[in-house]
Amino acid sequence: MADAFTGFEVFLTRKVLVLGGTGMVGRMVHRVLSLSEGLAVRSTQRRETSDPFYLNAEDGKEGLRRVVAHQGPFDYTINCIGILMGEIDERDQRSVR
């Protein structure tokens, strides 16, 4: 008996979520992964609060849960959230926590 899939290519798309996708590292990670076949890449951002992929790191787990609940599930999550040295004020505890 012949294999039912003979002559057909089966593609499995994996969903990837890049946290911090508008930052320096996240933008490059998103760009490179988007070139790969079989990956559907989405990224969070913190500029537009009405965007379903809005995520402010200060929202913690609840913010991430909200994104995943509305847009997930994802097979992979890559954290590219970071802070630039110019944004750190050592006198302000909120900027170094």
Side-chain angles (χ1 to χ4, degrees):
M1 182 171 158
D3 183 0
F5 292 105
T6 301
F8 296 97
E9 293 184 32
V10 178
F11 293 99
L12 298 176
T13 300
R14 300 289 184 190
K15 289 179 68 176
V16 179
L17 178 63
V18 178
L19 305 179
T22 57
M24 183 175 62
V25 174
R27 186 181 318 255
M28 291 306 296
V29 169
H30 183 113
R31 182 181 297 168
V32 169
L33 292 178
S34 293
L35 298 174
S36 300
E37 287 188 33
L39 294 180
V41 184
R42 299 303 305 254
S43 296
T44 64
Q45 55 81 31
R46 66 177 181 139
R47 293 185 182 125
E48 192 61 46
T49 58
S50 62
D51 187 316
F53 285 93
Y54 171 79
L55 176 66
N56 186 326
E58 292 181 5
D59 295 340
K61 293 179 195 175
E62 291 308 313
L64 182 57
R65 284 187 183 117
R66 178 186 42 75
V67 170
V68 172
H70 291 96
Q71 305 300 324
F74 294 92
D75 298 297
Y76 305 101
T77 302
I78 301 171
N79 183 10
C80 296
I81 295 174
I83 187 167
L84 299 174
M85 293 299 291
E87 294 180 11
I88 296 175
D89 179 355
E90 293 180 8
R91 297 167 294 183
D92 183 354
Q93 288 297 317
R94 293 174 297 162
S95 73
V96 294
R97 62 178 167 159

